[in-house]
Amino acid sequence: MRRIIVLVIFWLFLIIAFIPVSLIGESKTHAPIIVPPVSVKKSEKIVLLENHSSEYIYQNSSLEFLTFSHDVFSDIQGMRPFPWGGEVFEGEISFICGDYDSYDGRKSFIIKGNTSNSHGALAVPDLPLKPKVKPGQLYFLGCWVKYHIESGKGIRLTQQFFLPEDKFYPTYSCFGKWKRGSSKNWVFLGLLVKAPQRACRGDPVIELWGKGEIKIDKIYFGPVEIIGEGGAL
């Protein structure tokens, strides 16, 4: 009897340990508080103060450095651009990282969806490594992408925010617009949002929901200033 209880506890621990905590904010079991994106006028410019997408010592924003992790966040070869990793939320999703077409350097991260309901993302899955944020500060998420979406919702950027008491589900989420179709060349996507009250960690996410693929490279995430004609706003 004691052995059975120990085995049950062991398997429960493994299941909990591999629950991703990036994009669950839009799951059926947890409805996040929606934070609207911040708009910028044509006369204004976003100035990135620091590219800080995680609390890991090496940001790996160009996804050049690969590690053999062989975990649920790895690609089909067991590799991942740590601390980044792929997350599967629904349907058939494949991740590929390596020497493929890239915007910067030699590598990019590819998400492939096999059906219209395939839903996956690139994010920093581990909660302790998600970037620390300050309430009231503007944060910008941007990246270079090349995509081809045959069906489904498309691709979008998402920023989520965790409160100190949040363990698995972020309290706040800001969703960018879905983008469909195809791009022949690399294009830049961006999402600007203000961190809510009591927010302690951010969560930059690049999603694909549908049949097709997206190549991701050169990710930016960090605090910003908006510069107008008369200087900082």
Side-chain angles (χ1 to χ4, degrees):
M1 183 65 180
R2 180 179 298 177
R3 183 181 179 184
I4 295 176
I5 294 175
V6 170
L7 287 174
V8 170
I9 293 175
F10 172 75
W11 284 110
L12 284 175
F13 174 79
L14 285 181
I15 293 172
I16 293 173
F18 286 106
I19 294 177
V21 291
S22 283
L23 201 63
I24 310 181
E26 207 183 30
S27 71
K28 297 178 181 179
T29 59
H30 178 82
I33 299 173
I34 304 300
V35 179
V38 176
S39 300
V40 177
K41 300 177 182 178
K42 292 183 178 179
S43 59
E44 299 171 343
K45 181 173 65 174
I46 298 174
V47 178
L48 188 67
L49 302 178
E50 180 186 13
N51 193 3
H52 188 74
S53 56
S54 82
E55 295 305 312
Y56 191 57
I57 190 171
Y58 181 58
Q59 297 297 299
N60 205 13
S61 60
S62 288
L63 311 174
E64 291 290 300
F65 180 70
L66 303 181
T67 60
F68 182 74
S69 300
H70 201 62
D71 56 15
V72 295
F73 309 121
S74 301
D75 74 350
I76 56 177
Q77 302 296 329
M79 308 296 291
R80 61 181 283 199
F82 196 86
W84 298 90
E87 298 188 16
V88 180
F89 305 111
E90 186 176 354
E92 299 178 18
I93 290 286
S94 298
F95 303 115
I96 305 172
C97 53
D99 295 325
Y100 299 94
D101 185 18
S102 65
Y103 174 81
D104 178 69
R106 297 190 312 166
K107 297 179 176 63
S108 62
F109 190 89
I110 302 174
I111 305 176
K112 288 188 175 183
N114 295 328
T115 70
S116 297
N117 293 323
S118 298
H119 188 193
L122 175 65
V124 177
D126 307 285
L127 183 57
L129 296 182
K130 293 184 187 297
K132 295 179 181 178
V133 298
K134 295 180 180 179
Q137 172 68 53
L138 288 172
Y139 286 90
F140 180 75
L141 167 61
C143 65
W144 290 89
V145 299
K146 185 184 285 188
Y147 57 91
H148 174 68
I149 309 299
E150 298 179 24
S151 60
K153 293 185 178 182
I155 62 173
R156 72 176 176 184
L157 301 183
T158 296
Q159 286 199 50
Q160 301 190 137
F161 294 95
F162 287 75
L163 301 184
E165 63 268 23
D166 294 337
K167 301 302 180 183
F168 296 108
Y169 306 100
T171 295
Y172 295 97
S173 295
C174 177
F175 300 111
K177 294 182 179 179
W178 289 108
K179 199 173 188 66
R180 304 175 182 86
S182 300
S183 67
K184 295 182 180 179
N185 301 310
W186 288 89
V187 297
F188 187 76
L189 302 181
L191 180 65
L192 181 65
V193 61
K194 179 182 289 188
Q197 292 184 359
R198 298 182 60 243
C200 64
R201 293 196 182 264
D203 188 19
V205 183
I206 301 100
E207 293 181 65
L208 179 147
W209 195 330
K211 183 178 181 180
E213 75 169 37
I214 175 177
K215 298 176 181 178
I216 305 167
D217 201 4
K218 197 71 175 180
I219 303 172
Y220 300 84
F221 177 82
V224 299
E225 286 184 353
I226 298 178
I227 306 296
E229 295 180 358
L233 301 180

